[in-house]
Amino acid sequence: MKVCYYQTLGIAKDVDTAEIKKAYRKLAMQFHPDKNPGDKAAESKFKEINEAYAVLQDGEKRAAYDRFGHAAFEQGGPGGFGGAGFGGFDFATGFADIFDEMFGDIMGGARGRAGQGRGADLRHDLPLTLEEAFAGVEKVINVVSSISCESCAGTGAKPGSGASDCTTCNGRGRVRAQQGFFTIERACASCAGQGQVIKDPCRNCAGQGRVRNERKLSVNVPAGVEDGTRIRLSGEGEAGMRGNQPGDLYVILTIDPHKSYQREGANLFCRVPVAMTSAALGGAVNVPLIEGGEMEIKIEPGTQPGQQMRLRQKGMSVLRTATRGDLYVELAVETPVKLSKRQKELLEEFAREGEKGGGGIVGKIKETLRK
């Protein structure tokens, strides 16, 4: 005994066509054989929901089913829909339409973009300095790509002539082939998926509707971008075939290494040399800033090599905000290597005094001088 078609799709009898299609798509995705390989129960359920949808999606067949039930579609039944398939429904064609709706985006829009000759997307790598990434910049790039042919206005046909529908695909640009349980669509070979054929092509573009050309484009790079950031310029890719939609241009930003800074997100890191005397006695040192100029920071007496200082809001810009990261300054205490006679005498005297106190940095200085 067959299960009620409404129960099969999990819907009420008073739902509209949109709800029927919605329920069908959900179940078809769940029980599709590709998602359940080797599962006989899922395969059987998949056939049941397709049989139910084949009837309920059609107003006339649905009305007959509501009145006579499954008997409406049996051979010679009162509904008058006996015969091949599910009540005369072209299951292969109907399911192919739903399959396109369900998987069209995943497959790259085979029935739309590819079939209509949409232009290809392009990639352009744009190098930036760290300073440009910090402040933002406007760059002009050269792009070599296909553009719409001016001679034929992108139609591909010689001026004064036109195109006609392809007789193989009847202007659809796609042809269907039955492969077992499924109907597969492919681009029509006769018209290369365009749906139309040109008998008198444009001489300038050889019927393509586009020609190669070099263009200059302006790219606005916002402050705070990171390495690998992608900027999309809609419609700036390859021109579409015969006046169809162009592709997009993706600008990939690459940030060159900096001689002074290391970047981690919005924070910057740098090393600043500090004289041994300044580290021991205290003093000040100038730190270069990414926006230009310098900032003086105070060095406390007894500063140790590798000590780190944090300068808040002196790092990189944060994309699409008014805030900034921090700048971390590592103090690199420099030990003098070329000493005058007097300097050596003073340091040796300093070392002798330091021995009374137990060494520490004094011992390290003494060891260095004796090498």
Side-chain angles (χ1 to χ4, degrees):
M1 181 177 180
K2 289 188 176 182
V3 179
C4 171
Y5 286 152
Y6 291 102
Q7 292 181 8
T8 299
L9 296 182
I11 55 177
K13 290 188 176 182
D14 59 350
V15 299
D16 58 18
T17 304
E19 287 296 321
I20 294 175
K21 180 178 290 189
K22 181 179 179 181
Y24 168 75
R25 292 178 62 182
K26 180 179 179 180
L27 292 171
M29 288 285 285
Q30 180 181 351
F31 293 100
H32 195 280
D34 289 347
K35 286 192 173 184
N36 304 274
D39 190 337
K40 297 297 183 182
E43 181 180 350
S44 176
K45 182 66 175 179
F46 186 67
K47 292 179 180 179
E48 289 177 7
I49 62 178
N50 277 291
E51 179 180 343
Y53 177 74
V55 172
L56 299 184
Q57 61 83 37
D58 183 275
E60 187 178 357
K61 297 176 180 60
R62 181 182 179 184
Y65 177 75
D66 289 343
R67 184 177 180 183
F68 301 108
H70 293 290
F73 308 105
E74 295 175 356
Q75 186 70 28
F81 295 106
F86 303 122
F89 175 67
D90 184 356
F91 170 73
T93 300
F95 180 69
D97 291 336
I98 297 300
F99 185 85
D100 284 342
E101 291 184 18
M102 292 166 57
F103 302 104
D105 290 337
I106 299 174
M107 301 301 291
R111 300 188 68 197
R113 294 186 293 273
Q116 294 177 3
R118 178 184 183 273
D121 294 334
L122 296 178
R123 169 178 174 149
H124 183 91
D125 293 330
L126 179 60
L128 300 173
T129 65
L130 191 62
E131 287 82 1
E132 289 173 333
F134 163 77
V137 67
E138 182 176 348
K139 290 277 191 176
V140 176
I141 61 175
N142 293 324
V143 179
V144 178
S145 66
S146 296
I147 63 172
S148 181
C149 175
E150 294 183 357
S151 299
C152 63
T155 64
K158 183 179 179 180
S161 64
S164 58
D165 287 345
C166 174
T167 56
T168 301
C169 63
N170 295 321
R172 295 183 64 246
R174 311 288 293 177
V175 292
R176 286 175 173 168
Q178 187 73 32
Q179 291 188 357
F181 185 70
F182 295 102
T183 295
I184 306 299
E185 275 198 352
R186 297 186 178 90
C188 175
S190 300
C191 63
Q194 299 304 304
Q196 293 185 320
V197 292
I198 297 175
K199 296 182 179 180
D200 196 358
C202 171
R203 293 183 179 181
N204 188 46
C205 64
Q208 297 296 307
R210 57 186 183 178
V211 293
R212 301 292 289 178
N213 188 46
E214 182 175 351
R215 298 173 291 150
K216 291 185 180 294
L217 296 175
S218 178
V219 181
N220 289 314
V221 179
V225 294
E226 297 191 30
D227 189 77
T229 296
R230 185 178 69 171
I231 297 177
R232 174 180 174 231
L233 300 182
S234 180
E236 297 295 349
E238 296 277 8
M241 288 285 289
R242 300 175 187 172
N244 283 293
Q245 181 183 2
D248 299 328
L249 173 64
Y250 291 91
V251 179
I252 310 300
L253 306 180
T254 57
I255 301 177
D256 298 331
H258 198 277
K259 63 179 181 180
S260 301
Y261 299 108
Q262 293 289 332
R263 179 183 183 182
E264 291 186 10
N267 296 325
L268 292 176
F269 297 81
C270 71
R271 299 178 75 245
V272 175
V274 177
M276 183 187 69
T277 52
S278 296
L281 303 175
V285 66
N286 290 326
V287 177
L289 301 176
I290 187 66
E291 64 264 35
E294 296 180 335
M295 178 179 180
E296 185 179 87
I297 60 174
K298 184 179 179 181
I299 304 297
E300 297 293 335
T303 294
Q304 300 299 306
Q307 186 171 327
Q308 198 174 71
M309 301 183 69
R310 180 184 182 185
L311 305 183
R312 296 182 182 275
Q313 294 290 307
K314 293 299 180 182
M316 290 292 292
S317 304
V318 178
L319 188 64
R320 298 186 181 89
T321 71
T323 61
R324 291 176 59 177
D326 300 329
L327 172 61
Y328 291 86
V329 181
E330 180 183 333
L331 302 178
V333 179
E334 294 185 330
T335 302
V337 293
K338 293 182 179 181
L339 299 172
S340 66
K341 182 178 180 181
R342 178 57 180 160
Q343 287 174 325
K344 287 183 180 181
E345 290 174 351
L346 291 173
L347 283 176
E348 287 173 352
E349 181 180 350
F350 176 73
R352 287 192 295 271
E353 290 293 327
E355 289 177 351
K356 299 176 182 179
I361 190 172
V362 177
K364 293 180 180 179
I365 296 173
K366 182 177 179 181
E367 183 181 349
T368 301
L369 293 175
R370 288 177 176 174
K371 290 182 179 180

